[in-house]
Amino acid sequence: GENVEQHPSTLSVQEGDSAVIKCTYSDSASNYFPWYKQELGKRPQLIIDIRSNVGEKKDQRIAVTLNKTAKHFSLHITETQPEDSAVYFCAAGDSNYQLIWGAGTKLIIKP
Amino acid sequence: NAGVTQTPKFQVLKTGQSMTLQCAQDMNHEYMSWYRQDPGMGLRLIHYSVGAGITDQGEVPNGYNVSRSTTEDFPLRLLSAAPSQTSVYFCASSRQPNSPLHFGNGTRLTVT
């Protein structure tokens, strides 16, 4: 079955700098790659997603890139702000409609 | 429009007890799913459904049952609670498989 690895587990960046979180997946049939943000004690919320027929997608300060050959995808956050502090999860959706999640990255924005 | 509603918010069970976690959505979503979230492990899929009358197992289905008699409701039943089932449980729905998920607020379950 699908396996998703996410790195790093913790990322600390200075406010205003960029943050990059990387995920790799194992199943070449996976075709849907969302990113979720979870604040402490709250539910996960989608921030951006990408499908396998697209290489890059942007939404204001957030972008996701997908390399199907290498089976990895990355989340890029530019001009980080204190409200970006949270745990971020990547996931991969396979052909069996199962969404397999990475273990999460705790992003800390230092003032 | 309430979205995805989960009840209860908190529950404490003794080992061996059974209970049902309720999940309802009012967005007419075909796809519904249950996840458990444990520290440092992300979310793991327990069971999912692609429509009324259809359910299937996810990564960690043992000890749990589901049913989907209507589009709106997708209850999760713990058959005989074990301490290993202590976790936060999330129900989520989406318009179709592999599309943006809408999560409920979660149920924090403790099994003693």
Side-chain angles (χ1 to χ4, degrees):
Chain A
E2 175 68 278
N3 182 51
V4 176
E5 293 190 357
Q6 183 172 346
H7 299 280
S9 56
T10 305
L11 178 61
S12 183
V13 302
Q14 205 71 36
E15 182 179 349
D17 288 350
S18 295
V20 180
I21 303 170
K22 299 181 179 180
C23 288
T24 59
Y25 61 98
S26 60
D27 186 355
S28 55
S30 291
N31 54 27
Y32 177 64
F33 306 94
W35 286 89
Y36 285 80
K37 175 183 180 182
Q38 187 177 30
E39 295 175 352
L40 191 63
K42 299 198 173 177
R43 57 187 159 185
Q45 294 196 297
L46 180 78
I47 55 171
I48 196 166
D49 60 3
I50 194 168
R51 298 194 182 273
S52 57
N53 59 347
V54 176
E56 183 176 1
K57 185 176 178 180
K58 275 187 173 182
D59 183 4
Q60 298 181 16
R61 296 186 297 111
I62 293 172
V64 56
T65 58
L66 172 65
N67 183 326
K68 285 191 296 183
T69 304
K71 289 190 280 188
H72 68 69
F73 57 112
S74 300
L75 177 71
H76 305 253
I77 305 174
T78 59
E79 300 172 10
T80 52
Q81 300 168 4
E83 53 265 36
D84 295 329
S85 293
V87 179
Y88 291 80
F89 292 97
C90 65
D94 67 13
S95 54
N96 294 319
Y97 307 137
Q98 297 199 33
L99 199 60
I100 306 301
W101 295 62
T105 296
K106 182 176 183 179
L107 178 62
I108 300 166
I109 307 300
K110 296 180 291 186
Chain B
N1 191 339
V4 179
T5 302
Q6 276 185 248
T7 56
K9 290 185 178 179
F10 301 94
Q11 183 70 50
V12 179
L13 292 178
K14 293 188 187 302
T15 296
Q17 287 184 316
S18 64
M19 78 157 295
T20 299
L21 306 185
Q22 301 293 343
C23 176
Q25 52 91 9
D26 61 0
M27 297 172 284
N28 202 31
H29 285 171
E30 290 297 323
Y31 183 85
M32 296 187 74
S33 53
W34 276 102
Y35 290 91
R36 60 177 289 172
Q37 184 172 33
D38 302 298
M41 296 186 72
L43 283 82
R44 290 184 292 169
L45 182 65
I46 304 171
H47 285 284
Y48 64 98
S49 168
V50 297
I54 305 168
T55 63
D56 210 341
Q57 297 181 349
E59 297 174 87
V60 290
N62 292 340
Y64 308 94
N65 272 354
V66 291
S67 59
R68 184 95 182 269
S69 55
T70 66
T71 299
E72 294 78 19
D73 299 298
F74 191 45
L76 177 73
R77 183 165 178 81
L78 278 71
L79 308 173
S80 177
S84 61
Q85 293 178 305
T86 293
S87 189
V88 178
Y89 291 83
F90 284 102
C91 178
S93 73
S94 62
R95 191 174 300 279
Q96 58 192 29
N98 288 347
S99 66
L101 287 170
H102 297 255
F103 282 86
N105 285 325
T107 296
R108 186 173 294 275
L109 176 69
T110 302
V111 183
T112 61

